[in-house]
Amino acid sequence: MPEPGELVFDAPRKGKPPVHLTDLDPGARKAAVVDLGLPGFRADQVSRQWFGRLSDDPSEWTDVPAEARTVISDALLPTLLTPIREISCDDGATVKSVWRLHDGALVESVLMRYPERVTMCVSSQAGCGMNCPFCATGQAGLTRNLSTAEIVEQVIAGARALQRGEIEGGPGRVSNVVFMGMGEPLANYRAVVAALHRLTDPAPGGLGMSARGITVSTVGLVPRIRDLAREGLPVTLAVSLHAPDDQLRDTLVPVNTRWKVGEVLDAAWEYAELTHRRVSIEYALIKDINDQRWRAELLGDLLAGHLVHVNLIPLNPTPGSAWTASRPQDERAFVRALEERGVQVTVRDTRGREIDGACGQLAATTS
Ligand code: SAH
């Protein structure tokens, strides 16, 4: 039975994309290939090419007969993401891609290369229905949920570009994935959990990434946090808190009127207990809105003693909004108040800012 209020999060189904190999688990892939009149083991062979070698060119799949390659790629490898724009900054170490989906919806992903890792920030929905007033994505509302393949193919596209040496810094691999692009991942729960399996299952099932390198970020859909804790997938949970008190959080993260700060944090602590993973608390510092010393102290008191890390994000101002990032001295005082309470805290860097590819700036504008 859905909980009261849950229907609010059911995204429209219009524009459902065609089924893709990446949507299917290994058993379903085999069945699909058998349905095409081919031996089931061809599914594993093609999957090894797709996820293991990242090859999207059937002519390279020399272990598969030419005719079977064509049949499988025509039926199970439709083009889901068409690149319409690619913009880079930070000397090529940050690349934002704008993708058009089969129905014309636009989504964005961001690749960020650091000396010791490469992080892909992916979208889980076209638009977002959570309506947080400081977030560019939220302003346009929700278009639709992405399919599992539409999510995972963003990562595969980045992985391919890296493997081919197309990203500044030479050939490399994607080590981290963060669900911090467009959309609320836990409002598209089934597709996101299947995507987590595709990312972490070893080839031929999927990309074989470590769950430890994956972060799912949420506004705090409490029942879904509790479900995710029980999936046996030890990914990192990030909770976008942004305020320690309900009065302010009700306005910054409107879903707070449904699940309060206390309930969200209780679910987060349960997540940490069941997965043994440190929970990340996201807090965008907004000048004179949520950056007061007393709020830092209250936040520190709520978090002290838990398996938690606070990520402070200097607000990326969105067009038309009066809000801006905190003053440096207020940011420092905020950090200090948390540290004084023994709470681990870092200030997030703002990669991709000048290409509207930084936190909360993804709005899929094509101008
Ligand atoms: N819906 C999910 C994931 C998408 S946003 C969530 O809310 O967690 C990823 C992070 O960027 C969230 O913590 C979000 O609150 C933050 N964010 C959104 N807009 C921002 C902005 N303008 N400046 C800084 N951070 C922002």
Side-chain angles (χ1 to χ4, degrees):
M1 280 289 285
E3 305 213 357
E6 195 139 7
L7 284 178
V8 178
F9 306 117
D10 276 356
R13 286 182 169 272
K14 70 176 154 72
K16 224 176 166 198
V19 173
H20 188 282
L21 188 80
T22 304
D23 287 309
L24 308 175
D25 65 24
R29 276 178 224 162
K30 194 169 169 184
V33 165
V34 169
D35 277 350
L36 294 170
L38 297 168
F41 67 88
R42 298 281 178 231
D44 267 9
Q45 288 179 311
V46 171
S47 297
R48 259 180 243 284
Q49 296 289 349
W50 196 262
F51 299 106
R53 299 188 56 235
L54 303 175
S55 169
D56 58 351
D57 177 0
S59 74
E60 294 173 357
W61 309 343
T62 50
D63 54 337
V64 183
E67 201 194 337
R69 291 178 213 162
T70 310
V71 172
I72 293 175
S73 62
D74 286 354
L76 293 175
L77 296 168
T79 299
L80 296 179
L81 308 179
T82 304
I84 60 169
R85 223 152 91 90
E86 204 163 84
I87 325 160
S88 64
C89 66
D90 304 318
D91 292 326
T94 304
V95 183
K96 178 174 88 165
S97 302
V98 184
W99 305 102
R100 186 171 37 234
L101 308 182
H102 79 104
D103 57 351
L106 300 177
V107 295
E108 303 183 351
S109 60
V110 186
L111 182 152
M112 290 160 283
R113 185 168 213 164
Y114 300 90
E116 74 297 358
R117 67 179 194 280
V118 178
T119 300
M120 282 290 309
C121 177
V122 298
S123 297
S124 56
Q125 300 181 309
C128 186
M130 297 296 122
N131 211 18
C132 303
F134 56 90
C135 174
T137 306
Q139 307 319 301
L142 177 65
T143 303
R144 70 167 168 89
N145 277 335
L146 300 194
S147 65
T148 297
E150 285 173 326
I151 297 168
V152 176
E153 291 299 319
Q154 296 169 53
V155 178
I156 292 183
R160 250 185 220 126
L162 270 166
Q163 175 175 281
R164 292 174 182 168
E166 291 164 13
I167 307 294
E168 194 58 42
R173 300 177 51 240
V174 175
S175 53
N176 297 72
V177 173
V178 296
F179 285 76
M180 294 187 180
M182 300 167 80
E184 166 50 42
L186 298 190
N188 184 13
Y189 189 80
R190 262 132 125 358
V192 165
V193 167
L196 296 175
H197 283 288
R198 276 325 89 70
L199 294 174
T200 54
D201 287 355
L207 291 171
M209 296 184 63
S210 163
R212 296 173 165 268
I214 300 174
T215 300
V216 173
S217 183
T218 179
V219 287
L221 305 187
V222 165
R224 295 295 154 267
I225 293 175
R226 295 195 188 277
D227 291 342
L228 188 64
R230 290 167 176 76
E231 294 286 350
L233 285 161
V235 297
T236 298
L237 176 75
V239 173
S240 296
L241 202 65
H242 305 312
D245 54 306
D246 287 319
Q247 198 186 358
L248 178 59
R249 194 168 192 266
D250 280 349
T251 66
L252 293 182
V253 185
V255 78
N256 194 70
T257 55
R258 177 71 177 82
W259 293 289
K260 299 292 172 192
V261 170
E263 293 173 88
V264 174
L265 290 179
D266 280 347
W269 308 146
E270 186 190 44
Y271 189 89
E273 194 180 319
L274 291 176
T275 62
H276 308 293
R277 302 290 298 147
R278 186 177 75 170
V279 170
S280 192
I281 298 291
E282 310 294 296
Y283 199 107
L285 281 174
I286 313 174
K287 182 177 151 192
D288 296 332
I289 300 289
N290 65 352
D291 63 354
Q292 303 83 354
R293 171 96 197 172
W294 74 266
R295 283 204 161 89
E297 291 169 357
L298 177 56
L299 179 66
D301 291 340
L302 290 175
L303 305 186
H306 290 282
L307 191 57
V308 70
H309 179 98
V310 177
N311 250 316
L312 296 175
I313 317 168
L315 182 84
N316 287 308
T318 51
S321 167
W323 290 343
T324 63
S326 299
R327 300 172 195 87
Q329 64 269 32
D330 294 337
E331 181 181 294
R332 281 196 298 272
F334 208 94
V335 169
R336 223 174 308 119
L338 292 172
E339 285 174 345
E340 279 164 14
R341 283 159 181 77
V343 175
Q344 289 181 38
V345 52
T346 44
V347 178
R348 165 97 53 91
D349 80 337
T350 51
R351 277 284 184 106
R353 219 172 175 158
E354 63 268 43
I355 54 171
D356 287 348
C359 307
Q361 289 186 311
L362 301 184
T365 46
T366 50
S367 51

